[in-house]
Amino acid sequence: MAVTSSMKVGALMVVVLMVIGLPSGTNAQRWKGGAHITFYGSPNGGGTQAGACGYQNTYKLGYGSMTAALSSPLFRGGSACGACYQIRCAPVRRTRTARNWCYSYARTITITATNLCPPGSTGGWCNPPRAHFDLPMPAFLTLARREGGVAPVYYRKVRCAKRGGIRFTIGGNPWFLMVLIHNVGGAGDMRSVRVKGQYTNWYPMYRNWGALWTVRTKLSGALSFAVTTSNGRTVVARNVVGKWWKFGQTWEARTNFRY
């Protein structure tokens, strides 16, 4: 059973809290093998809410327990944050030392990448070059028995179908704007972000860490964002943040990614 460490950001007050994920549909990649799943946290998902993507509380943001801490080859320094993966158990040839702990080879779950399972975790499952998913216990138990602790799986990246628009939680300070971007549909993981103040041109943001994006420019008035996901698609949310915004607020765009 892998043990992950969580990275946390200072608490942000959230205006819009509910994010509801829907099952992923078409446009999935081909299945890949050679990966495994373990679990961390408590039976109710405690200890898995925060993590290296900066989401702080995945339950309050609507991701629930269907999340995963990825090994570093999959996490890619945080650029995988928000991506959705479909997972199903892989066949196991039973021997004296190996046993199939999964309920069914046909059963699948879809998870969102929200955390990092760092190298050196118990068992070495997250050590490079392994592809590994450390799941909250409720997610693990939908596929395999707890006593097994680990199970081989197939996995593939799928689209993230989200209800509602992309959401922007405003943090930082007047000269260091740091925005948590979440509830991103489509590919889910972001390649680049630009921001525009009410009286400025567009400025590129850089990934501070995980799903937190930063610009070192003082901006005022209504804010617009252009979000580009890993598949090259872009959504422009114009004036999504109101003119009198305050730090700690969350604003929701009227649009999201569609395939």
Side-chain angles (χ1 to χ4, degrees), residues 1-257:
M1 178 171 64
V3 179
T4 54
S5 61
S6 297
M7 300 175 60
K8 297 183 179 179
V9 187
L12 297 174
M13 295 179 64
V14 178
V15 175
V16 181
L17 295 178
M18 195 63 185
V19 182
I20 302 176
L22 299 176
S24 297
T26 58
N27 297 285
Q29 296 179 353
R30 293 182 178 180
W31 290 102
K32 299 178 181 179
H36 290 77
I37 56 172
T38 51
F39 64 84
Y40 71 118
S42 64
N44 66 356
T48 66
Q49 295 94 332
C53 287
Y55 293 127
Q56 300 181 322
N57 190 318
T58 53
Y59 285 83
K60 286 186 178 181
L61 293 182
Y63 295 106
S65 61
M66 302 308 289
T67 61
L70 308 185
S71 59
S72 54
L74 292 177
F75 192 70
R76 305 192 313 277
S79 62
C81 290
C84 295
Y85 291 87
Q86 195 173 50
I87 300 172
R88 64 182 175 91
C89 286
V92 174
R93 182 180 178 182
R94 185 165 181 171
T95 66
R96 287 184 297 178
T97 58
R99 181 178 174 183
N100 172 31
W101 296 102
C102 291
Y103 303 116
S104 167
Y105 293 138
R107 183 178 298 182
T108 65
I109 63 171
T110 299
I111 57 86
T112 302
T114 61
N115 203 354
L116 167 68
C117 185
S121 298
T122 301
W125 290 107
C126 292
N127 292 347
R130 285 179 167 172
H132 188 80
F133 300 85
D134 199 18
L135 306 176
M137 194 184 298
F140 182 91
L141 295 178
T142 62
L143 288 178
R145 296 173 176 82
R146 177 177 179 176
E147 57 267 34
V150 61
V153 293
Y154 295 119
Y155 70 98
R156 62 180 178 178
K157 192 170 184 288
V158 296
R159 76 181 183 96
C160 301
K162 301 297 182 182
R163 184 172 297 170
I166 303 173
R167 291 168 187 168
F168 304 85
T169 299
I170 311 299
N173 60 58
W175 294 98
F176 187 82
L177 190 69
M178 187 158 65
V179 182
L180 175 66
I181 304 176
H182 49 104
N183 199 49
V184 180
D189 47 348
M190 292 167 282
R191 176 190 297 176
S192 63
V193 178
R194 292 180 297 146
V195 62
K196 182 183 182 303
Q198 187 169 345
Y199 310 105
T200 70
N201 296 321
W202 287 96
Y203 290 98
M205 304 186 77
Y206 68 89
R207 188 190 306 275
N208 192 289
W209 56 276
L212 287 155
W213 293 78
T214 298
V215 64
R216 295 178 179 270
T217 301
K218 187 174 183 180
L219 299 174
S220 60
L223 302 180
S224 303
F225 292 89
V227 178
T228 301
T229 48
S230 61
N231 60 353
R233 296 178 180 268
T234 300
V235 160
V236 178
R238 298 190 182 278
N239 300 322
V240 59
V241 175
K243 183 176 181 180
W244 307 110
W245 58 269
K246 296 179 180 180
F247 293 106
Q249 293 178 333
T250 293
W251 299 77
E252 182 174 3
R254 295 182 179 180
T255 186
N256 211 325
F257 288 90

